[in-house]
Coordinates of all heavy atoms in Angstrom, one line a residue:
R1 N 64.3 -108.9 -86.2 CA 65.5 -108.3 -85.8 C 66.7 -108.9 -86.5 O 67.7 -108.2 -86.9 CB 65.7 -108.5 -84.2 CG 67.0 -107.9 -83.7 CD 67.2 -108.2 -82.2 NE 67.2 -109.7 -82.0 CZ 68.3 -110.4 -82.2 NH1 69.4 -109.8 -82.7 NH2 68.3 -111.7 -82.0
E2 N 66.7 -110.2 -86.7 CA 67.8 -110.9 -87.3 C 67.9 -110.7 -88.8 O 68.9 -110.5 -89.4 CB 67.8 -112.4 -87.0 CG 68.9 -113.2 -87.5 CD 70.2 -113.1 -86.7 OE1 70.1 -112.6 -85.5 OE2 71.3 -113.4 -87.2
F3 N 66.7 -110.8 -89.5 CA 66.7 -110.8 -90.9 C 66.5 -109.4 -91.5 O 66.9 -109.2 -92.7 CB 65.6 -111.7 -91.4 CG 65.9 -113.2 -91.3 CD1 65.6 -113.9 -90.2 CD2 66.6 -113.9 -92.3 CE1 65.9 -115.3 -90.0 CE2 66.9 -115.2 -92.2 CZ 66.6 -115.9 -91.1
E4 N 66.0 -108.5 -90.8 CA 65.7 -107.2 -91.4 C 66.9 -106.5 -92.1 O 66.8 -106.0 -93.2 CB 65.1 -106.2 -90.3 CG 64.7 -104.9 -90.8 CD 63.6 -104.9 -91.8 OE1 62.7 -105.8 -91.8 OE2 63.6 -104.0 -92.7
P5 N 68.1 -106.6 -91.5 CA 69.3 -106.0 -92.1 C 69.7 -106.6 -93.4 O 70.4 -106.0 -94.2 CB 70.4 -106.2 -91.0 CG 69.7 -106.4 -89.7 CD 68.4 -107.1 -90.1
I6 N 69.3 -107.8 -93.7 CA 69.7 -108.5 -94.9 C 68.6 -108.5 -96.0 O 68.8 -109.0 -97.1 CB 70.2 -109.9 -94.7 CG1 69.1 -110.8 -94.1 CG2 71.4 -109.9 -93.7 CD1 69.5 -112.3 -94.0
F7 N 67.4 -108.0 -95.7 CA 66.3 -107.9 -96.6 C 66.7 -106.9 -97.7 O 67.4 -105.9 -97.5 CB 65.0 -107.5 -96.0 CG 64.3 -108.7 -95.2 CD1 63.4 -108.4 -94.2 CD2 64.6 -110.0 -95.5 CE1 62.8 -109.4 -93.6 CE2 64.0 -111.0 -94.9 CZ 63.1 -110.8 -93.9
S8 N 66.1 -107.1 -98.9 CA 66.3 -106.2 -100.0 C 65.7 -104.9 -99.8 O 64.6 -104.7 -99.2 CB 65.8 -106.9 -101.3 OG 65.8 -106.0 -102.4
D9 N 66.3 -103.8 -100.4 CA 65.8 -102.5 -100.4 C 64.5 -102.4 -101.3 O 63.8 -101.4 -101.2 CB 66.8 -101.4 -100.9 CG 67.9 -101.2 -99.8 OD1 67.6 -101.4 -98.6 OD2 68.9 -100.7 -100.2
N10 N 64.3 -103.4 -102.1 CA 63.1 -103.4 -103.0 C 61.9 -104.1 -102.4 O 60.9 -104.3 -103.1 CB 63.5 -104.0 -104.3 CG 64.6 -103.2 -105.0 OD1 64.4 -102.0 -105.3 ND2 65.7 -103.8 -105.4
S11 N 62.0 -104.5 -101.1 CA 60.9 -105.2 -100.4 C 60.3 -104.2 -99.4 O 61.0 -103.5 -98.7 CB 61.5 -106.4 -99.7 OG 60.5 -106.9 -98.8
Y12 N 59.0 -104.1 -99.4 CA 58.3 -103.1 -98.6 C 57.2 -103.7 -97.7 O 56.8 -103.0 -96.7 CB 57.7 -102.1 -99.5 CG 58.7 -101.3 -100.3 CD1 59.1 -101.7 -101.6 CD2 59.2 -100.1 -99.8 CE1 60.1 -101.0 -102.3 CE2 60.2 -99.4 -100.5 CZ 60.6 -99.8 -101.7 OH 61.6 -99.1 -102.4
G13 N 56.7 -104.8 -97.9 CA 55.6 -105.3 -97.1 C 56.0 -105.9 -95.8 O 57.0 -106.6 -95.7
F14 N 55.2 -105.6 -94.8 CA 55.4 -106.2 -93.4 C 56.8 -105.9 -92.9 O 57.5 -106.7 -92.3 CB 55.2 -107.7 -93.4 CG 53.9 -108.1 -93.9 CD1 53.8 -109.0 -95.0 CD2 52.7 -107.6 -93.4 CE1 52.5 -109.3 -95.5 CE2 51.4 -108.0 -93.9 CZ 51.4 -108.8 -94.9
R15 N 57.3 -104.7 -93.1 CA 58.6 -104.3 -92.7 C 58.5 -102.9 -91.9 O 57.7 -102.1 -92.3 CB 59.6 -104.1 -93.8 CG 59.9 -105.5 -94.5 CD 60.9 -105.3 -95.6 NE 62.2 -104.9 -95.0 CZ 63.3 -104.5 -95.8 NH1 63.2 -104.5 -97.1 NH2 64.4 -104.1 -95.2
P16 N 59.3 -102.7 -90.9 CA 59.2 -101.5 -90.1 C 59.6 -100.3 -91.0 O 60.6 -100.4 -91.7 CB 60.2 -101.7 -88.9 CG 61.1 -102.8 -89.4 CD 60.3 -103.7 -90.3
N17 N 58.9 -99.2 -90.8 CA 59.2 -97.9 -91.4 C 59.1 -98.0 -93.0 O 59.8 -97.2 -93.7 CB 60.6 -97.4 -91.0 CG 60.7 -97.3 -89.5 OD1 59.9 -96.7 -88.9 ND2 61.9 -97.7 -89.0
R18 N 58.4 -99.0 -93.5 CA 58.1 -99.1 -94.9 C 56.6 -99.3 -95.1 O 55.9 -99.9 -94.3 CB 58.9 -100.2 -95.5 CG 60.4 -100.0 -95.6 CD 61.2 -101.1 -96.1 NE 62.6 -100.7 -96.4 CZ 63.1 -100.7 -97.6 NH1 62.4 -101.2 -98.6 NH2 64.3 -100.3 -97.8
S19 N 56.1 -98.8 -96.2 CA 54.7 -98.8 -96.4 C 54.4 -99.1 -97.9 O 55.3 -99.1 -98.8 CB 54.1 -97.5 -96.0 OG 54.5 -96.4 -96.9
A20 N 53.1 -99.3 -98.2 CA 52.6 -99.4 -99.6 C 52.9 -98.2 -100.4 O 53.2 -98.2 -101.5 CB 51.1 -99.7 -99.6
H21 N 52.8 -97.0 -99.7 CA 53.1 -95.7 -100.4 C 54.6 -95.7 -100.9 O 54.9 -95.2 -102.0 CB 52.9 -94.5 -99.5 CG 51.4 -94.3 -99.2 ND1 51.0 -93.6 -98.1 CD2 50.3 -94.8 -99.8 CE1 49.6 -93.6 -98.1 NE2 49.2 -94.3 -99.1
D22 N 55.5 -96.2 -100.0 CA 56.9 -96.3 -100.4 C 57.1 -97.2 -101.7 O 57.9 -96.9 -102.6 CB 57.8 -96.8 -99.3 CG 57.8 -95.9 -98.1 OD1 57.8 -94.7 -98.3 OD2 57.8 -96.4 -96.9
A23 N 56.3 -98.3 -101.7 CA 56.4 -99.2 -102.8 C 55.9 -98.5 -104.1 O 56.5 -98.6 -105.2 CB 55.6 -100.5 -102.5
I24 N 54.8 -97.8 -104.0 CA 54.2 -97.1 -105.1 C 55.2 -96.0 -105.6 O 55.4 -95.9 -106.9 CB 52.9 -96.4 -104.8 CG1 51.8 -97.5 -104.4 CG2 52.4 -95.5 -105.9 CD1 51.5 -98.5 -105.6
R25 N 55.8 -95.3 -104.7 CA 56.8 -94.3 -105.1 C 58.0 -94.9 -105.8 O 58.5 -94.3 -106.8 CB 57.3 -93.5 -103.9 CG 56.2 -92.6 -103.3 CD 56.8 -91.7 -102.2 NE 55.8 -90.9 -101.5 CZ 55.2 -91.2 -100.4 NH1 55.6 -92.3 -99.7 NH2 54.3 -90.4 -99.8
K26 N 58.4 -96.1 -105.4 CA 59.5 -96.8 -106.1 C 59.1 -97.2 -107.5 O 59.9 -97.1 -108.4 CB 59.9 -98.0 -105.3 CG 61.1 -98.8 -105.8 CD 62.3 -98.0 -105.7 CE 63.5 -98.8 -106.1 NZ 64.8 -98.1 -105.9
V27 N 57.9 -97.7 -107.7 CA 57.4 -98.0 -109.0 C 57.5 -96.8 -109.9 O 57.9 -96.8 -111.1 CB 56.0 -98.5 -109.0 CG1 55.4 -98.7 -110.4 CG2 55.9 -99.9 -108.3
I28 N 57.0 -95.6 -109.4 CA 57.0 -94.4 -110.2 C 58.4 -94.0 -110.5 O 58.7 -93.6 -111.7 CB 56.3 -93.3 -109.4 CG1 54.8 -93.6 -109.3 CG2 56.5 -91.9 -110.1 CD1 54.1 -92.7 -108.3

């Protein structure tokens, strides 16, 4: 709850509403 707002938009692992698929789409 405290750190989620300051995490990078380029980080996807172990985060709510983010997935490996999102990471793959970002690479593409």
Side-chain angles (χ1 to χ4, degrees):
R1 179 187 60 78
E2 183 75 19
F3 284 91
E4 186 60 32
I6 64 175
F7 283 159
S8 171
D9 285 339
N10 297 304
S11 165
Y12 294 90
F14 306 121
R15 295 184 62 187
N17 303 315
R18 288 175 169 245
S19 68
H21 291 163
D22 296 324
I24 296 298
R25 291 188 183 100
K26 184 67 174 182
V27 171
I28 294 170

